[in-house]
Amino acid sequence: MRTASQLFPQVTAFANLCRAFRHASQGKQDQPDVQRFAYQLEDRLWDIKQDLEAETDTWGGYRSFWIYDPKKRLIKAAPFRDRIIHHALYNVLEPLYERSYIRDSYACLRGRGTLAAVRRYHAFVRRIGGTGYVLLGDIHQYFASVNHAVLKCLLRRKLRDRKLLRLLDSLIGTGDEGTGKGMPIGNLTSQLFANIYLDPFDHFIKEELGQKFYIRYMDDFVIMGQEKSELWAVLASIERWLNERLALRLNPKRVVVTPLSRGVDFLGYVIYPHGYKRVRRRNVVHVRRRLQKLEAEYAHGAISFAHARSSIASWLGLATHAAAFRLSKELFMAHDVRNIGKRLLVKMIWR
């Protein structure tokens, strides 16, 4: 494997820090911490550059909160200054690592979102003739289970820049409360580390197990095949490898081998052969509750019109690519904020 050195100067380059600020502040220019930083932008970026080069920079504390989208997740938001450094690291490291990823690794990668993964799934179904079985797997509490020692070893397989490695080591240890495991959900760098951590897993499945019809979207994956017994054998190999090499285990409640013809619950959809998709039931329950909450909050003036509209519009990205027009009509007509739903339905008709 080719290794990279002399990357730290690229991270601390003033142009890279400026770019990192633009990315970190995008869509957040009205937030007080962003405005305070931008008031003396050049001086503050220069301070970051000097602190990083002198290795005197320290990471700030996280602001923690829970979200339900649709699962309950603990989000840890880093201070804005730290988020700029996260982006500076990502700008340099993401292109370096992306070259080694397999084609069918998705999530947190340019051009490889949910829709791209679903399209690839349909392409695989066509290639195997729409028959056979699919193995669905899910890694149990993935972000909370990432082993720091393993992650540091994986980083050292490609990186040789000692200053950069010391900075990454200090970042990996933030927010773990001394457990030696876990990554904060909310850090851009956590998304990068998550893909780096599972890249050897992707290569194991494709190259050692020889599975052609494999797709991974973060910690969810599918493998297609004609023989049910073969997929169960693949599953046993996967469980051993994950435990021995990455200190991870599968979620037994989310592992199944099922016929393709029954429809497969993957990435927010139940996907059937020949292209038909419907929205997953728990996503429907989630958006119904969200709309009820938005309706009440907007009626009492607790949220703005723009906030309500953006929350409702997020449903459109999922529903537009499924057989969900009647369902969307029912949801929007029952819980509509200033007729926003009606406007979105018009968009669905004309797409």
Side-chain angles (χ1 to χ4, degrees), residues 254-273:
R254 299 288 301 277
V255 174
V256 64
V257 176
T258 185
L260 281 168
S261 58
R262 289 186 182 176
V264 175
D265 187 341
F266 186 52
L267 302 182
Y269 300 101
V270 178
I271 308 172
Y272 296 87

Side-chain angles (χ1 to χ4, degrees), residues 71-320:
K71 296 188 295 186
K72 182 179 179 181
R73 300 178 188 273
L74 177 63
I75 304 299
K76 292 187 176 182
F80 181 68
R81 185 182 189 277
D82 288 2
R83 297 203 298 271
I84 293 173
I85 301 175
H86 296 170
H87 277 272
L89 288 166
Y90 187 86
N91 291 343
V92 173
L93 294 178
E94 191 272 340
L96 177 68
Y97 276 95
E98 188 175 352
R99 292 194 288 267
S100 69
Y101 297 154
I102 66 167
R103 175 184 176 182
D104 294 312
S105 168
Y106 295 83
C108 308
L109 297 169
R110 287 187 296 270
R112 300 202 215 176
T114 303
L115 186 57
V118 171
R119 286 172 175 162
R120 185 65 165 165
Y121 179 94
H122 281 303
F124 281 167
V125 171
R126 288 193 296 270
R127 285 173 62 181
I128 66 173
T131 62
Y133 296 86
V134 58
L135 162 64
L136 292 95
D138 173 82
I139 297 173
H140 182 65
Q141 296 183 347
Y142 176 49
F143 274 76
S145 301
V146 167
N147 184 288
H148 293 176
V150 175
L151 176 57
K152 291 174 183 179
C153 286
L154 291 174
L155 291 172
R156 280 160 173 77
R157 292 176 61 185
K158 187 177 286 286
L159 305 179
R160 287 292 181 268
D161 189 311
R162 293 184 179 182
K163 272 194 169 184
L164 177 58
L165 286 169
R166 285 195 292 268
L167 178 62
L168 293 173
D169 287 351
S170 68
L171 174 58
I172 291 168
T174 60
D176 72 341
E177 301 176 352
T179 63
K181 294 194 302 182
M183 298 185 299
I185 300 177
N187 282 1
L188 178 65
T189 47
S190 293
Q191 299 175 12
L192 171 67
F193 293 153
N195 276 324
I196 292 172
Y197 202 84
L198 285 181
D199 182 51
F201 175 63
D202 296 336
H203 287 277
F204 166 71
I205 291 180
K206 297 287 285 186
E207 295 161 14
E208 295 189 38
L209 296 185
Q211 298 302 308
K212 297 179 181 178
F213 306 116
Y214 163 74
I215 299 170
R216 180 178 62 81
Y217 190 95
M218 196 49 70
D219 57 335
D220 295 312
F221 63 89
V222 295
I223 302 175
M224 301 178 199
Q226 291 291 347
E227 299 296 331
K228 192 173 185 178
S229 58
E230 179 185 346
L231 290 177
W232 281 116
V234 167
L235 175 60
S237 298
I238 286 173
E239 289 179 315
R240 286 193 301 271
W241 193 93
L242 281 174
N243 184 261
E244 293 171 2
R245 299 293 187 89
L246 299 181
L248 298 174
R249 60 190 181 92
L250 298 180
N251 184 347
K253 296 180 181 179
R254 299 288 301 277
V255 174
V256 64
V257 176
T258 185
L260 281 168
S261 58
R262 289 186 182 176
V264 175
D265 187 341
F266 186 52
L267 302 182
Y269 300 101
V270 178
I271 308 172
Y272 296 87
H274 313 300
Y276 178 78
K277 299 189 295 291
R278 63 178 176 84
V279 179
R280 175 191 288 163
R281 175 175 171 76
R282 69 171 178 264
N283 289 78
V284 177
V285 172
H286 174 68
V287 76
R288 193 186 301 275
R289 290 173 179 168
R290 184 198 300 173
L291 289 171
Q292 290 171 344
K293 183 179 179 182
L294 284 172
E295 187 178 45
E297 289 178 340
Y298 185 78
H300 290 88
I303 59 173
S304 66
F305 174 76
H307 178 87
R309 187 182 188 282
S310 63
S311 294
I312 294 175
S314 65
W315 167 259
L316 185 64
L318 185 69
T320 299

